[in-house]
Amino acid sequence: MQTILTGFYTLESYEQAENGSFTANISLNKDHDIFKGHFPGNPVTPGVCMMQIVKELTEEFTGKKLFLKSASNVKFMAIINPFETPDLTLQLDINEGEEEIKVKNTTSFGETIALKMSVNYQKTAK
């Protein structure tokens, strides 16, 4: 899997439901350099990194190279501290059209929902 977040997270497992949605389990690397600056002594997973993870997982599951076209209803609902809650579950409802892919995502740790968003990706040439 190609990633611009090298070493930031590990895809531990995933499964595809009959309806085509995916559930992915990832682990954040609490020792990654991003957390040294965001924020020293109080590490918080940057929202833009979570959005990138959703894009990368969608690319992995669809086999398509994607470009973020739009995002709506992006709601960060809980802080993701990699020392306290490094293990995350991402629900990805992926709807693929001719030229774009729409994804509804819910990211959680335990019973806590940390992120909800809807995104549209444009398919690009590989």
Side-chain angles (χ1 to χ4, degrees):
M1 180 162 82
Q2 272 193 323
T3 175
I4 64 169
L5 295 174
T6 302
F8 186 73
Y9 70 99
T10 303
L11 176 59
E12 299 293 345
S13 65
Y14 69 90
E15 59 183 53
Q16 184 176 9
E18 286 183 25
N19 67 0
S21 67
F22 289 84
T23 301
N25 297 296
I26 68 167
S27 292
L28 299 175
N29 175 6
K30 64 180 175 44
D31 297 319
H32 196 277
D33 286 344
I34 286 174
F35 295 117
K36 293 176 184 167
H38 198 271
F39 297 95
N42 187 24
V44 174
T45 304
V48 69
C49 292
M50 290 307 305
M51 292 178 75
Q52 180 66 25
I53 290 170
V54 170
K55 177 183 174 277
E56 291 178 3
L57 291 176
T58 302
E59 288 178 328
E60 177 73 12
F61 299 152
T62 63
K64 306 285 191 296
K65 188 77 177 143
L66 304 172
F67 179 81
L68 179 64
K69 185 176 176 182
S70 66
S72 61
N73 299 318
V74 180
K75 296 178 183 168
F76 296 98
M77 303 166 77
I79 291 173
I80 302 171
N81 180 320
F83 285 87
E84 295 173 4
T85 54
D87 299 320
L88 305 175
T89 300
L90 289 86
Q91 180 68 38
L92 302 167
D93 296 324
I94 300 171
N95 292 302
E96 189 169 347
E98 186 97 10
E99 296 189 14
E100 66 179 31
I101 294 177
K102 296 179 181 189
V103 179
K104 287 186 180 177
N105 165 252
T106 302
T107 299
S108 58
F109 52 87
E111 298 297 312
T112 302
I113 295 174
L115 168 63
K116 281 186 163 188
M117 71 174 182
S118 297
V119 289
N120 293 331
Y121 299 110
Q122 183 73 40
K123 294 179 186 177
T124 65
K126 288 204 176 215

PDB file of all heavy atoms in Angstrom, residues 40-67:
ATOM      1  N   PRO A  40       3.644  18.810  21.501  1.00  0.00           N
ATOM      2  CA  PRO A  40       4.624  18.307  22.469  1.00  0.00           C
ATOM      3  C   PRO A  40       4.002  18.140  23.859  1.00  0.00           C
ATOM      4  O   PRO A  40       3.374  19.053  24.378  1.00  0.00           O
ATOM      5  CB  PRO A  40       5.703  19.391  22.480  1.00  0.00           C
ATOM      6  CG  PRO A  40       5.564  20.073  21.157  1.00  0.00           C
ATOM      7  CD  PRO A  40       4.093  20.020  20.825  1.00  0.00           C
ATOM      8  N   GLY A  41       4.128  16.937  24.411  1.00  0.00           N
ATOM      9  CA  GLY A  41       3.596  16.658  25.733  1.00  0.00           C
ATOM     10  C   GLY A  41       2.108  16.334  25.753  1.00  0.00           C
ATOM     11  O   GLY A  41       1.583  15.877  26.759  1.00  0.00           O
ATOM     12  N   ASN A  42       1.414  16.571  24.652  1.00  0.00           N
ATOM     13  CA  ASN A  42      -0.016  16.278  24.565  1.00  0.00           C
ATOM     14  C   ASN A  42      -0.347  15.871  23.126  1.00  0.00           C
ATOM     15  O   ASN A  42      -0.978  16.621  22.397  1.00  0.00           O
ATOM     16  CB  ASN A  42      -0.841  17.510  24.979  1.00  0.00           C
ATOM     17  CG  ASN A  42      -2.312  17.202  25.059  1.00  0.00           C
ATOM     18  OD1 ASN A  42      -2.714  16.065  25.251  1.00  0.00           O
ATOM     19  ND2 ASN A  42      -3.137  18.223  24.883  1.00  0.00           N
ATOM     20  N   PRO A  43       0.082  14.691  22.699  1.00  0.00           N
ATOM     21  CA  PRO A  43      -0.066  14.292  21.300  1.00  0.00           C
ATOM     22  C   PRO A  43      -1.523  14.144  20.877  1.00  0.00           C
ATOM     23  O   PRO A  43      -2.337  13.553  21.593  1.00  0.00           O
ATOM     24  CB  PRO A  43       0.668  12.958  21.226  1.00  0.00           C
ATOM     25  CG  PRO A  43       0.653  12.433  22.616  1.00  0.00           C
ATOM     26  CD  PRO A  43       0.673  13.635  23.518  1.00  0.00           C
ATOM     27  N   VAL A  44      -1.838  14.720  19.733  1.00  0.00           N
ATOM     28  CA  VAL A  44      -3.172  14.654  19.143  1.00  0.00           C
ATOM     29  C   VAL A  44      -3.008  14.290  17.666  1.00  0.00           C
ATOM     30  O   VAL A  44      -2.167  14.873  16.977  1.00  0.00           O
ATOM     31  CB  VAL A  44      -3.899  16.013  19.274  1.00  0.00           C
ATOM     32  CG1 VAL A  44      -5.228  15.988  18.533  1.00  0.00           C
ATOM     33  CG2 VAL A  44      -4.098  16.391  20.729  1.00  0.00           C
ATOM     34  N   THR A  45      -3.793  13.342  17.203  1.00  0.00           N
ATOM     35  CA  THR A  45      -3.735  12.955  15.798  1.00  0.00           C
ATOM     36  C   THR A  45      -4.341  14.075  14.953  1.00  0.00           C
ATOM     37  O   THR A  45      -5.503  14.430  15.147  1.00  0.00           O
ATOM     38  CB  THR A  45      -4.501  11.643  15.570  1.00  0.00           C
ATOM     39  OG1 THR A  45      -3.963  10.648  16.453  1.00  0.00           O
ATOM     40  CG2 THR A  45      -4.379  11.173  14.130  1.00  0.00           C
ATOM     41  N   PRO A  46      -3.572  14.637  14.030  1.00  0.00           N
ATOM     42  CA  PRO A  46      -4.102  15.721  13.196  1.00  0.00           C
ATOM     43  C   PRO A  46      -5.275  15.243  12.333  1.00  0.00           C
ATOM     44  O   PRO A  46      -5.246  14.148  11.766  1.00  0.00           O
ATOM     45  CB  PRO A  46      -2.914  16.107  12.310  1.00  0.00           C
ATOM     46  CG  PRO A  46      -1.704  15.624  13.050  1.00  0.00           C
ATOM     47  CD  PRO A  46      -2.154  14.375  13.750  1.00  0.00           C
ATOM     48  N   GLY A  47      -6.288  16.086  12.225  1.00  0.00           N
ATOM     49  CA  GLY A  47      -7.458  15.753  11.425  1.00  0.00           C
ATOM     50  C   GLY A  47      -7.114  15.490   9.978  1.00  0.00           C
ATOM     51  O   GLY A  47      -7.674  14.588   9.344  1.00  0.00           O
ATOM     52  N   VAL A  48      -6.182  16.266   9.434  1.00  0.00           N
ATOM     53  CA  VAL A  48      -5.794  16.079   8.038  1.00  0.00           C
ATOM     54  C   VAL A  48      -5.160  14.702   7.833  1.00  0.00           C
ATOM     55  O   VAL A  48      -5.321  14.091   6.777  1.00  0.00           O
ATOM     56  CB  VAL A  48      -4.873  17.227   7.554  1.00  0.00           C
ATOM     57  CG1 VAL A  48      -3.513  17.167   8.221  1.00  0.00           C
ATOM     58  CG2 VAL A  48      -4.742  17.223   6.054  1.00  0.00           C
ATOM     59  N   CYS A  49      -4.482  14.185   8.842  1.00  0.00           N
ATOM     60  CA  CYS A  49      -3.905  12.834   8.739  1.00  0.00           C
ATOM     61  C   CYS A  49      -5.006  11.779   8.728  1.00  0.00           C
ATOM     62  O   CYS A  49      -4.934  10.801   7.981  1.00  0.00           O
ATOM     63  CB  CYS A  49      -2.937  12.581   9.891  1.00  0.00           C
ATOM     64  SG  CYS A  49      -1.434  13.576   9.805  1.00  0.00           S
ATOM     65  N   MET A  50      -6.052  11.985   9.525  1.00  0.00           N
ATOM     66  CA  MET A  50      -7.174  11.050   9.511  1.00  0.00           C
ATOM     67  C   MET A  50      -7.867  11.068   8.148  1.00  0.00           C
ATOM     68  O   MET A  50      -8.251  10.016   7.631  1.00  0.00           O
ATOM     69  CB  MET A  50      -8.163  11.375  10.630  1.00  0.00           C
ATOM     70  CG  MET A  50      -7.633  11.069  12.032  1.00  0.00           C
ATOM     71  SD  MET A  50      -7.008   9.371  12.233  1.00  0.00           S
ATOM     72  CE  MET A  50      -8.414   8.397  11.702  1.00  0.00           C
ATOM     73  N   MET A  51      -8.000  12.249   7.578  1.00  0.00           N
ATOM     74  CA  MET A  51      -8.612  12.343   6.250  1.00  0.00           C
ATOM     75  C   MET A  51      -7.751  11.634   5.202  1.00  0.00           C
ATOM     76  O   MET A  51      -8.267  10.974   4.299  1.00  0.00           O
ATOM     77  CB  MET A  51      -8.848  13.805   5.881  1.00  0.00           C
ATOM     78  CG  MET A  51      -9.919  14.461   6.752  1.00  0.00           C
ATOM     79  SD  MET A  51     -10.181  16.199   6.377  1.00  0.00           S
ATOM     80  CE  MET A  51     -11.099  16.065   4.832  1.00  0.00           C
ATOM     81  N   GLN A  52      -6.430  11.738   5.329  1.00  0.00           N
ATOM     82  CA  GLN A  52      -5.515  11.072   4.400  1.00  0.00           C
ATOM     83  C   GLN A  52      -5.601   9.556   4.559  1.00  0.00           C
ATOM     84  O   GLN A  52      -5.557   8.816   3.572  1.00  0.00           O
ATOM     85  CB  GLN A  52      -4.080  11.559   4.613  1.00  0.00           C
ATOM     86  CG  GLN A  52      -3.054  10.926   3.701  1.00  0.00           C
ATOM     87  CD  GLN A  52      -3.233  11.286   2.227  1.00  0.00           C
ATOM     88  OE1 GLN A  52      -3.803  12.322   1.893  1.00  0.00           O
ATOM     89  NE2 GLN A  52      -2.747  10.430   1.345  1.00  0.00           N
ATOM     90  N   ILE A  53      -5.744   9.088   5.792  1.00  0.00           N
ATOM     91  CA  ILE A  53      -5.869   7.645   6.021  1.00  0.00           C
ATOM     92  C   ILE A  53      -7.113   7.112   5.318  1.00  0.00           C
ATOM     93  O   ILE A  53      -7.068   6.059   4.675  1.00  0.00           O
ATOM     94  CB  ILE A  53      -5.892   7.330   7.537  1.00  0.00           C
ATOM     95  CG1 ILE A  53      -4.507   7.582   8.147  1.00  0.00           C
ATOM     96  CG2 ILE A  53      -6.347   5.890   7.783  1.00  0.00           C
ATOM     97  CD1 ILE A  53      -4.472   7.541   9.664  1.00  0.00           C
ATOM     98  N   VAL A  54      -8.231   7.834   5.414  1.00  0.00           N
ATOM     99  CA  VAL A  54      -9.459   7.409   4.738  1.00  0.00           C
ATOM    100  C   VAL A  54      -9.221   7.325   3.227  1.00  0.00           C
ATOM    101  O   VAL A  54      -9.621   6.357   2.574  1.00  0.00           O
ATOM    102  CB  VAL A  54     -10.635   8.357   5.069  1.00  0.00           C
ATOM    103  CG1 VAL A  54     -11.842   8.069   4.182  1.00  0.00           C
ATOM    104  CG2 VAL A  54     -11.010   8.240   6.545  1.00  0.00           C
ATOM    105  N   LYS A  55      -8.535   8.314   2.668  1.00  0.00           N
ATOM    106  CA  LYS A  55      -8.228   8.299   1.233  1.00  0.00           C
ATOM    107  C   LYS A  55      -7.357   7.096   0.877  1.00  0.00           C
ATOM    108  O   LYS A  55      -7.639   6.378  -0.091  1.00  0.00           O
ATOM    109  CB  LYS A  55      -7.536   9.589   0.821  1.00  0.00           C
ATOM    110  CG  LYS A  55      -7.104   9.620  -0.650  1.00  0.00           C
ATOM    111  CD  LYS A  55      -6.356  10.912  -0.971  1.00  0.00           C
ATOM    112  CE  LYS A  55      -5.788  10.929  -2.358  1.00  0.00           C
ATOM    113  NZ  LYS A  55      -4.497  10.239  -2.456  1.00  0.00           N
ATOM    114  N   GLU A  56      -6.314   6.869   1.638  1.00  0.00           N
ATOM    115  CA  GLU A  56      -5.398   5.768   1.339  1.00  0.00           C
ATOM    116  C   GLU A  56      -6.089   4.410   1.452  1.00  0.00           C
ATOM    117  O   GLU A  56      -5.861   3.523   0.621  1.00  0.00           O
ATOM    118  CB  GLU A  56      -4.172   5.839   2.253  1.00  0.00           C
ATOM    119  CG  GLU A  56      -3.289   7.026   1.932  1.00  0.00           C
ATOM    120  CD  GLU A  56      -2.085   7.173   2.854  1.00  0.00           C
ATOM    121  OE1 GLU A  56      -1.880   6.313   3.744  1.00  0.00           O
ATOM    122  OE2 GLU A  56      -1.345   8.155   2.680  1.00  0.00           O
ATOM    123  N   LEU A  57      -6.937   4.244   2.457  1.00  0.00           N
ATOM    124  CA  LEU A  57      -7.659   2.978   2.588  1.00  0.00           C
ATOM    125  C   LEU A  57      -8.643   2.791   1.439  1.00  0.00           C
ATOM    126  O   LEU A  57      -8.783   1.684   0.911  1.00  0.00           O
ATOM    127  CB  LEU A  57      -8.382   2.917   3.934  1.00  0.00           C
ATOM    128  CG  LEU A  57      -7.481   2.806   5.171  1.00  0.00           C
ATOM    129  CD1 LEU A  57      -8.322   2.853   6.441  1.00  0.00           C
ATOM    130  CD2 LEU A  57      -6.630   1.547   5.141  1.00  0.00           C
ATOM    131  N   THR A  58      -9.296   3.866   1.024  1.00  0.00           N
ATOM    132  CA  THR A  58     -10.216   3.782  -0.115  1.00  0.00           C
ATOM    133  C   THR A  58      -9.463   3.390  -1.380  1.00  0.00           C
ATOM    134  O   THR A  58      -9.928   2.551  -2.163  1.00  0.00           O
ATOM    135  CB  THR A  58     -10.971   5.114  -0.314  1.00  0.00           C
ATOM    136  OG1 THR A  58     -11.681   5.438   0.893  1.00  0.00           O
ATOM    137  CG2 THR A  58     -11.955   5.019  -1.469  1.00  0.00           C
ATOM    138  N   GLU A  59      -8.282   3.968  -1.580  1.00  0.00           N
ATOM    139  CA  GLU A  59      -7.451   3.586  -2.736  1.00  0.00           C
ATOM    140  C   GLU A  59      -7.075   2.108  -2.665  1.00  0.00           C
ATOM    141  O   GLU A  59      -7.108   1.390  -3.670  1.00  0.00           O
ATOM    142  CB  GLU A  59      -6.186   4.449  -2.792  1.00  0.00           C
ATOM    143  CG  GLU A  59      -6.444   5.875  -3.204  1.00  0.00           C
ATOM    144  CD  GLU A  59      -5.188   6.736  -3.207  1.00  0.00           C
ATOM    145  OE1 GLU A  59      -4.266   6.508  -2.396  1.00  0.00           O
ATOM    146  OE2 GLU A  59      -5.143   7.665  -4.037  1.00  0.00           O
ATOM    147  N   GLU A  60      -6.709   1.654  -1.481  1.00  0.00           N
ATOM    148  CA  GLU A  60      -6.322   0.256  -1.286  1.00  0.00           C
ATOM    149  C   GLU A  60      -7.492  -0.684  -1.607  1.00  0.00           C
ATOM    150  O   GLU A  60      -7.329  -1.688  -2.297  1.00  0.00           O
ATOM    151  CB  GLU A  60      -5.859   0.045   0.154  1.00  0.00           C
ATOM    152  CG  GLU A  60      -5.509  -1.372   0.509  1.00  0.00           C
ATOM    153  CD  GLU A  60      -4.199  -1.865  -0.092  1.00  0.00           C
ATOM    154  OE1 GLU A  60      -3.413  -1.065  -0.623  1.00  0.00           O
ATOM    155  OE2 GLU A  60      -3.973  -3.081  -0.031  1.00  0.00           O
ATOM    156  N   PHE A  61      -8.678  -0.349  -1.129  1.00  0.00           N
ATOM    157  CA  PHE A  61      -9.824  -1.236  -1.280  1.00  0.00           C
ATOM    158  C   PHE A  61     -10.419  -1.211  -2.686  1.00  0.00           C
ATOM    159  O   PHE A  61     -11.009  -2.196  -3.120  1.00  0.00           O
ATOM    160  CB  PHE A  61     -10.904  -0.894  -0.249  1.00  0.00           C
ATOM    161  CG  PHE A  61     -10.444  -1.056   1.186  1.00  0.00           C
ATOM    162  CD1 PHE A  61     -11.010  -0.293   2.189  1.00  0.00           C
ATOM    163  CD2 PHE A  61      -9.456  -1.959   1.542  1.00  0.00           C
ATOM    164  CE1 PHE A  61     -10.604  -0.430   3.504  1.00  0.00           C
ATOM    165  CE2 PHE A  61      -9.028  -2.102   2.849  1.00  0.00           C
ATOM    166  CZ  PHE A  61      -9.613  -1.337   3.846  1.00  0.00           C
ATOM    167  N   THR A  62     -10.276  -0.091  -3.394  1.00  0.00           N
ATOM    168  CA  THR A  62     -10.845   0.012  -4.742  1.00  0.00           C
ATOM    169  C   THR A  62      -9.819  -0.245  -5.844  1.00  0.00           C
ATOM    170  O   THR A  62     -10.189  -0.484  -6.989  1.00  0.00           O
ATOM    171  CB  THR A  62     -11.461   1.404  -4.988  1.00  0.00           C
ATOM    172  OG1 THR A  62     -10.433   2.397  -4.921  1.00  0.00           O
ATOM    173  CG2 THR A  62     -12.574   1.709  -3.996  1.00  0.00           C
ATOM    174  N   GLY A  63      -8.535  -0.146  -5.500  1.00  0.00           N
ATOM    175  CA  GLY A  63      -7.490  -0.302  -6.510  1.00  0.00           C
ATOM    176  C   GLY A  63      -7.387   0.897  -7.435  1.00  0.00           C
ATOM    177  O   GLY A  63      -6.793   0.809  -8.505  1.00  0.00           O
ATOM    178  N   LYS A  64      -7.953   2.029  -7.024  1.00  0.00           N
ATOM    179  CA  LYS A  64      -7.949   3.247  -7.844  1.00  0.00           C
ATOM    180  C   LYS A  64      -7.113   4.331  -7.173  1.00  0.00           C
ATOM    181  O   LYS A  64      -7.087   4.447  -5.960  1.00  0.00           O
ATOM    182  CB  LYS A  64      -9.377   3.785  -8.023  1.00  0.00           C
ATOM    183  CG  LYS A  64     -10.392   2.815  -8.571  1.00  0.00           C
ATOM    184  CD  LYS A  64     -10.217   2.587 -10.047  1.00  0.00           C
ATOM    185  CE  LYS A  64     -11.324   1.844 -10.719  1.00  0.00           C
ATOM    186  NZ  LYS A  64     -11.574   0.486 -10.326  1.00  0.00           N
ATOM    187  N   LYS A  65      -6.446   5.131  -7.986  1.00  0.00           N
ATOM    188  CA  LYS A  65      -5.729   6.311  -7.510  1.00  0.00           C
ATOM    189  C   LYS A  65      -6.744   7.442  -7.436  1.00  0.00           C
ATOM    190  O   LYS A  65      -7.490   7.668  -8.392  1.00  0.00           O
ATOM    191  CB  LYS A  65      -4.581   6.648  -8.464  1.00  0.00           C
ATOM    192  CG  LYS A  65      -3.677   7.722  -7.971  1.00  0.00           C
ATOM    193  CD  LYS A  65      -2.730   7.193  -6.913  1.00  0.00           C
ATOM    194  CE  LYS A  65      -1.785   8.306  -6.494  1.00  0.00           C
ATOM    195  NZ  LYS A  65      -1.480   8.276  -5.093  1.00  0.00           N
ATOM    196  N   LEU A  66      -6.778   8.160  -6.313  1.00  0.00           N
ATOM    197  CA  LEU A  66      -7.835   9.145  -6.083  1.00  0.00           C
ATOM    198  C   LEU A  66      -7.294  10.523  -5.729  1.00  0.00           C
ATOM    199  O   LEU A  66      -6.198  10.654  -5.195  1.00  0.00           O
ATOM    200  CB  LEU A  66      -8.754   8.665  -4.946  1.00  0.00           C
ATOM    201  CG  LEU A  66      -9.382   7.286  -5.132  1.00  0.00           C
ATOM    202  CD1 LEU A  66     -10.095   6.857  -3.860  1.00  0.00           C
ATOM    203  CD2 LEU A  66     -10.325   7.280  -6.317  1.00  0.00           C
ATOM    204  N   PHE A  67      -8.128  11.527  -6.033  1.00  0.00           N
ATOM    205  CA  PHE A  67      -7.843  12.925  -5.694  1.00  0.00           C
ATOM    206  C   PHE A  67      -9.071  13.458  -4.962  1.00  0.00           C
ATOM    207  O   PHE A  67     -10.197  13.296  -5.449  1.00  0.00           O
ATOM    208  CB  PHE A  67      -7.599  13.733  -6.972  1.00  0.00           C
ATOM    209  CG  PHE A  67      -7.311  15.181  -6.732  1.00  0.00           C
ATOM    210  CD1 PHE A  67      -6.038  15.607  -6.369  1.00  0.00           C
ATOM    211  CD2 PHE A  67      -8.312  16.132  -6.856  1.00  0.00           C
ATOM    212  CE1 PHE A  67      -5.778  16.943  -6.143  1.00  0.00           C
ATOM    213  CE2 PHE A  67      -8.054  17.467  -6.626  1.00  0.00           C
ATOM    214  CZ  PHE A  67      -6.782  17.879  -6.262  1.00  0.00           C
TER     215      PHE A  67
END
